[in-house]
């Protein structure tokens, strides 16, 4: 990117990004835009953010638009990120669903799953629970969604380099749930991979995913406006089965919607039950 981003260009790009995927860029984030879009501008022989915006207008919903959204929405993630949600899943939610008779299928949605660490972490927790309680929770399916095709391709492969494996994964779980791959990385084992189905989904668009008992929508709502956040949480509520649970990120809260959800204190950690 040869030219500095002008204030009008930055405002126009903020509007494009919010319309495209809901992300609300704050003020003075020009450095972030420049660093994430520099390669895209070079590959397309564009000299400024303004030229990129003009090209996006002409290309509509084409490949360039997807590449730009990819660049602005892809974030690094961790195995068992924040820990509390997975402890709550293991100690409270899975036992609760396993105790139901007859045992219904358990359906879990991991929204904004990035490169797959969250849904695969959930799969590991389910597998560990089954080892402790043989015969329980035999029918578990995890649906994992993201707006980015590139991160979904990584997630579907289920193969990670050592530097990614080391972010939050214990040596014991690495040994139990991964095998060395021919390329020098680590491949997730089939019993975990088979639990997870990955789908492309923009949280601003229609949800054609079915019904869920647990929805994990963590560390993504912080990027949306209050209005969009409320809309997304309302539509997630419609996907939950009666008594289903919503799990948000550590820095996120409902801030309203008392008619839809009730807070459940888990000491430590908070989750929300569908009313």
């Amino acid at each position: 990117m040869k030219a500095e981003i002008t204030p009008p260009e930055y405002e126009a790009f903020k509007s494009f990004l919010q319309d495209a995927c809901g992300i609300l860029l704050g003020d003075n984030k020009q450095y972030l835009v420049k660093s994430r879009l520099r390669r895209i501008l070079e590959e397309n022989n564009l000299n400024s953010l303004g030229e990129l915006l003009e090209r996006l207008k002409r290309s509509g919903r084409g490949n360039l638009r997807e590449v730009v959204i990819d660049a602005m929405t892809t974030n690094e993630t961790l195995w068992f990120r924040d820990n509390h949600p997975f402890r709550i899943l293991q100690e409270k939610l899975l036992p609760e669903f396993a105790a139901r008779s007859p045992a219904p299928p358990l359906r879990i949605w991991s929204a904004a799953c990035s490169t797959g660490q969250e849904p695969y972490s959930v799969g590991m927790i389910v597998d560990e629970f089954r080892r402790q309680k043989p015969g329980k929770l035999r029918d578990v399916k995890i649906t994992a969604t993201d707006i980015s095709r590139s991160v979904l391709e990584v997630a579907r492969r289920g193969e990670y380099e050592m530097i990614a494996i080391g972010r939050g994964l214990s040596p014991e779980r690495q040994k139990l749930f991964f095998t060395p791959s021919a390329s020098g990385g680590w491949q997730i084992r089939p019993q975990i991979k088979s639990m997870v189905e990955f789908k492309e989904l923009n949280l601003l668009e229609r949800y054609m995913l079915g019904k869920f008992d647990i929805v994990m929508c963590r560390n993504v709502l912080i990027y949306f406006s209050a209005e969009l956040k409320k809309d997304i949480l309302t539509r997630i509520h419609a996907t939950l089965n009666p008594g289903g649970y919503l799990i948000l990120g550590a820095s996120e809260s409902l801030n309203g919607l008392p008619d839809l959800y009730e807070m459940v204190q888990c000491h430590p950690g908070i989750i929300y039950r569908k009313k």
Side-chain angles (χ1 to χ4, degrees):
M1 185 179 293
K2 298 177 182 177
E4 290 299 315
I5 298 174
T6 66
E9 286 175 340
Y10 186 63
E11 290 302 317
F13 185 73
K14 284 172 62 178
S15 295
F16 160 78
L17 196 64
Q18 186 170 14
D19 291 343
C21 60
I23 288 181
L24 184 61
L25 276 177
D27 295 331
N28 303 316
K29 297 288 186 180
Q30 289 89 336
Y31 70 93
L32 177 67
V33 174
K34 287 186 69 171
S35 65
R36 294 204 170 192
L37 300 185
R38 180 177 287 109
R39 182 180 58 82
I40 296 172
L41 266 69
E42 291 174 353
E43 292 176 351
N44 288 274
N45 297 315
L46 300 170
N47 293 319
S48 69
L49 186 60
E51 290 184 15
L52 175 62
L53 288 165
E54 287 298 319
R55 181 77 64 84
L56 288 168
K57 287 179 184 177
R58 295 199 300 271
S59 62
R61 296 180 69 90
N63 182 64
L64 180 60
R65 180 178 182 273
E66 294 176 2
V67 170
V68 170
I69 293 172
D70 256 18
M72 294 304 302
T73 58
T74 301
N75 295 295
E76 292 212 2
T77 186
L78 308 171
W79 304 96
F80 300 93
R81 183 176 181 179
D82 300 327
N83 191 43
H84 291 324
F86 300 96
R87 181 191 56 78
I88 292 168
L89 188 67
Q90 190 167 38
E91 297 178 5
K92 173 179 171 56
L93 300 187
L94 295 186
E96 178 180 319
F97 285 104
R100 296 181 181 180
S101 183
L106 179 60
R107 298 293 180 259
I108 302 171
W109 175 17
S110 168
C113 68
S114 189
T115 45
Q117 280 87 336
E118 179 175 272
Y120 286 141
S121 294
V122 173
M124 293 179 210
I125 292 293
V126 171
D127 188 82
E128 290 171 352
F129 184 86
R130 286 171 169 170
R131 292 169 189 263
Q132 296 170 354
K133 305 285 186 180
K136 297 292 186 178
L137 296 180
R138 292 181 177 178
D139 187 356
V140 178
K141 290 294 182 185
I142 303 162
T143 299
T145 66
D146 202 278
I147 192 174
S148 169
R149 291 182 183 178
S150 63
V151 300
L152 288 172
E153 289 173 4
V154 174
R156 288 189 181 102
R157 286 197 300 271
E159 183 178 347
Y160 301 90
E161 296 179 357
M162 189 63 218
I163 190 170
I165 287 289
R167 294 185 178 125
L169 191 68
S170 69
E172 293 78 16
R173 280 175 168 152
Q174 179 185 343
K175 183 178 180 180
L176 186 60
F177 296 117
F178 289 83
T179 56
S181 65
S183 64
W186 291 84
Q187 178 70 52
I188 192 110
R189 290 186 184 271
Q191 79 265 24
I192 306 301
K193 192 175 184 181
S194 63
M195 281 190 226
V196 187
E197 180 182 17
F198 292 96
K199 295 183 177 183
E200 185 179 343
L201 179 76
N202 185 335
L203 286 172
L204 302 188
E205 298 175 356
R206 293 183 66 193
Y207 305 167
M208 304 291 287
L209 301 171
K211 291 286 189 176
F212 298 95
D213 302 293
I214 301 169
V215 175
M216 304 181 77
C217 185
R218 305 193 305 133
N219 307 305
V220 63
L221 295 178
I222 54 175
Y223 299 109
F224 296 153
S225 68
E227 182 181 356
L228 281 178
K229 176 181 173 180
K230 184 176 180 180
D231 176 63
I232 291 168
L233 289 170
T234 300
R235 288 191 285 148
I236 286 177
H237 179 271
T239 72
L240 282 166
N241 283 321
Y245 291 95
L246 168 67
I247 302 177
L248 299 179
S251 62
E252 297 167 323
S253 63
L254 286 182
N255 290 331
L257 303 176
D259 295 335
L260 300 184
Y261 298 95
E262 62 177 323
M263 183 185 297
V264 179
Q265 294 278 358
C266 296
H267 308 290
I270 296 170
I271 60 176
Y272 301 91
R273 184 188 291 117
K274 177 177 180 173
K275 286 187 175 180

